[in-house]
Amino acid sequence: MKIVVVENYEKLSSEAARIIINQLKKKPDSVLGLATGGTPVGMYENLRKAYAEGEVSFKDVKTYNLDEYCGIDPKHPQSYHYYMHQNLFDYIDIKPENVHLPSASENWENAAKAYNDLLNQTEIDLQVLGIGSNGHIGFNEPGTSFEQETFVVELAEKTRLDNQRFFNSLDEVPRYAITMGIKNIMQAKQILLLISGKNKAETAKRLLEGKVSNDFPASVLHLHPNVTVILDEDAYGLQK
Ligand code: PGA
């Protein structure tokens, strides 16, 4: 696991975007695994800018997102479909048919299986991840088997509380999501994990301690051969 510590969120965002841009320059038809949440917002901003300035094209890129809330419409402002369009897809030259997210408005179990089948037919070159304060990656909550494939997950209370900030009330935060499983995530050739902010410092400390356990899903990344973790100083703070 390669650890990169940068000064602040701006540097984390530009460094993460730089890694993706370099990947696309090396392989213009790369398959990217993408994440949502607060952490990668700045990375997407940098990617939009790089596209606008003609530095990079997404015309042959395929994307697969990690997860989607169950039971909310793709047009809902808090759906991850909406997030991805707002933060990236609407501003770049990616082909609509090359964009993939779990389709979780109905028939969740069928949709999870269909997404898993799709993932098993592809190979992700570079998977971007955030981390939940409880150590989740995607929505693989503590206790999830490392052999888990894409499934319908009941969100941990901690996750719903953390994500309440995006909704009007806790009651509105969905209880279920479809997520790539840990096994799917681990099949990516390369993984980029972003950790930002003081509120993730305990989480980062636990990850960097190196103990691998189902109780802390992100710890599985110690078993992957090509992981880069970018942390800002606020997230790295407790190491010193
Ligand atoms: P955040 O979410 O970037 O909004 O903190 C990370 C995650 O839950 O994976």
Side-chain angles (χ1 to χ4, degrees):
M1 187 177 271
K2 182 178 165 200
I3 309 297
V4 179
V5 182
V6 295
E7 197 182 331
N8 54 32
Y9 180 70
E10 283 65 39
K11 297 238 164 78
L12 174 142
S13 300
S14 57
E15 183 59 27
R18 177 57 41 204
I19 289 173
I20 294 184
I21 292 163
N22 288 344
Q23 169 70 31
L24 299 187
K25 285 184 174 165
K26 198 170 66 186
K27 187 179 176 205
D29 61 346
S30 289
V31 181
L32 300 179
L34 296 179
T36 50
T39 311
V41 166
M43 177 191 81
Y44 290 129
E45 190 183 336
N46 279 274
L47 289 177
R48 295 197 302 268
K49 188 159 169 274
Y51 170 73
E53 290 171 355
E55 198 193 347
V56 71
S57 166
F58 294 80
K59 81 178 168 48
D60 296 319
V61 170
K62 292 195 174 77
T63 65
Y64 290 83
N65 264 78
L66 280 170
D67 44 25
E68 178 58 287
Y69 288 123
C70 287
I72 63 175
D73 192 85
K75 294 198 181 68
H76 188 292
Q78 293 312 330
S79 78
Y80 291 156
H81 280 75
Y82 190 90
Y83 172 112
M84 286 309 304
H85 282 276
Q86 286 287 308
N87 282 284
L88 187 65
F89 298 151
D90 287 356
Y91 300 90
I92 58 172
D93 59 347
I94 196 161
K95 297 184 180 114
E97 64 270 27
N98 284 347
V99 160
H100 307 87
L101 288 100
S103 157
S105 30
E106 49 192 31
N107 293 325
W108 309 340
E109 296 291 346
N110 289 348
K113 186 175 179 318
Y115 201 61
N116 197 54
D117 290 346
L118 206 58
L119 290 170
N120 282 334
Q121 289 160 29
T122 191
E123 186 172 41
I124 291 180
D125 292 299
L126 176 59
Q127 173 69 58
V128 180
L129 297 176
I131 187 170
S133 59
N134 64 0
H136 75 207
I137 47 174
F139 274 132
N140 292 278
E141 304 286 20
T144 307
S145 159
F146 291 168
E147 289 304 308
Q148 181 69 55
E149 296 192 79
T150 309
F151 72 123
V152 177
V153 61
E154 181 171 8
L155 298 176
E157 201 53 23
K158 180 80 180 90
T159 297
R160 294 187 64 242
L161 285 166
D162 284 349
N163 288 358
Q164 184 184 345
R165 67 191 196 280
F166 299 115
F167 293 83
N168 294 323
S169 67
L170 183 59
D171 232 32
E172 283 184 21
V173 184
R175 292 177 186 277
Y176 294 90
I178 293 177
T179 183
M180 274 192 204
I182 292 176
K183 185 171 176 186
N184 307 106
I185 293 171
M186 290 292 279
Q187 281 164 351
K189 284 200 231 166
Q190 185 185 351
I191 293 177
L192 174 61
L193 171 63
L194 308 178
I195 315 181
S196 169
K198 283 202 171 68
N199 62 332
K200 293 281 174 72
E202 279 293 345
T203 311
K205 184 161 186 268
R206 196 161 166 200
L207 175 71
L208 298 181
E209 272 163 12
K211 180 171 172 245
V212 177
S213 153
N214 286 19
D215 295 341
F216 192 73
S219 66
V220 73
L221 299 175
H222 290 292
L223 306 178
H224 190 284
N226 192 353
V227 177
T228 301
V229 186
I230 309 181
L231 305 100
D232 59 18
E233 282 178 3
D234 280 347
Y236 191 71
L238 296 180
Q239 287 4 271
K240 289 172 198 157

